[in-house]
Amino acid sequence: MKPDQWPTAFTARVVQGMREARRAAGLTMGDVAHGCADRGLTEITEQSVKNLESGRKASMTIADFVVLADVLGVPPVTLLFPLGTSATVEVLPGREVSTWDALAWFTGETPSTHPNPEGTAREVLDVFRNHGDLVAAATASTALAKERRRAASTTLDRTRRATLLQRAEGYEEHAFEDCQELRAFRARMRERSLVPPALPDEITFVDQPETQTQPEDGLQ
């Protein structure tokens, strides 16, 4: 494809994905326009949607794009790079790559061959991804520890109860360590003037002042 044809073709691919998402969601063009208006984007009318889907309108703003994706209930990146339906895409004029590689490039997940210098956009992305992994681990281990403690505490058999309580302490120790690691990571982020995302309700205690509470005393 010639470079001057790429913008139109790129938009057409995005619009095709929007059309398929709209039909899959059982929405009419009018529904989409109403959804945009509900989100404060009144300039997208039913006629605007018709013009996009028919090809009479060959471009859209980033604001239009993200609002339309939200109305359609799909992750915006999947409209840009249609996984599962196209093996390759022309990610840039004259640059054809696999659809997955294009998506990974867009989201900053393309593997690096060398460490990313601190403060670079890619390194900051990696920090927040690592934070997400730590949050997931702390949330899961905390929930499991609480469930083990509950099961042990409600067991009527005294012998079994003692065994279960001992096991629960092991799970609590693991959860305690996960939460400590997350707390330290968030502290390092703040030292770099990075603002950590809000924590799930189940582990908001991680941001509270650290105490001398030991794991065997039960999770906070």
Side-chain angles (χ1 to χ4, degrees):
M1 163 186 325
K2 296 180 180 179
D4 61 347
Q5 298 175 320
W6 179 81
T8 300
F10 187 92
T11 302
R13 186 176 72 239
V14 172
V15 171
Q16 179 181 348
M18 288 182 170
R19 183 189 303 110
E20 293 171 354
R22 177 179 66 77
R23 291 173 176 171
L27 298 173
T28 65
M29 295 182 188
D31 293 333
V32 173
H34 285 307
C36 291
D38 289 343
R39 290 160 175 76
L41 206 64
T42 56
E43 53 266 40
I44 297 183
T45 64
E46 182 174 356
Q47 188 60 48
S48 300
V49 179
K50 288 180 180 178
N51 288 340
L52 273 172
E53 292 200 7
S54 67
R56 288 192 295 270
K57 181 176 173 59
S59 65
M60 71 183 84
T61 67
I62 293 177
D64 292 347
F65 171 71
V66 296
V67 170
L68 283 164
D70 187 59
V71 171
L72 296 170
V74 295
V77 72
T78 62
L79 295 173
L80 296 172
F81 307 109
L83 288 173
T85 58
S86 298
T88 63
V89 293
E90 191 171 357
V91 65
L92 293 171
R95 182 180 169 189
E96 188 90 10
V97 300
S98 79
T99 306
W100 175 251
D101 286 342
L103 190 150
W105 165 76
F106 189 84
T107 59
E109 295 178 281
T110 302
S112 298
T113 56
H114 52 78
N116 299 295
E118 183 174 309
T120 60
R122 177 60 186 271
E123 188 269 340
V124 172
L125 276 173
D126 289 342
V127 167
F128 277 81
R129 288 197 177 98
N130 289 339
H131 177 270
D133 292 341
L134 293 174
V135 168
T139 301
S141 61
T142 297
L144 184 56
K146 287 182 176 179
E147 173 56 27
R148 293 290 180 171
R149 171 66 62 172
R150 185 202 63 77
S153 300
T154 56
T155 299
L156 298 179
D157 186 311
R158 290 185 178 182
T159 301
R160 178 168 172 74
R161 184 172 186 272
T163 300
L164 292 179
L165 284 172
Q166 185 176 14
R167 290 178 182 173
E169 290 175 2
Y171 283 96
E172 289 169 348
E173 177 70 29
H174 182 65
F176 181 81
E177 292 173 355
D178 283 347
C179 291
Q180 287 291 86
E181 184 178 4
L182 175 59
R183 176 183 283 118
F185 194 89
R186 288 171 70 82
R188 291 195 296 273
M189 291 177 71
R190 293 187 181 99
E191 289 171 0
R192 292 181 52 187
S193 298
L194 299 176
V195 180
L199 292 169
D201 291 343
E202 309 92 291
I203 58 170
T204 53
F205 61 83
V206 167
D207 275 345
Q208 295 172 1
E210 192 170 359
T211 68
Q212 297 302 312
T213 302
Q214 296 300 312
E216 58 265 23
D217 294 330
L219 293 170
Q220 297 298 299

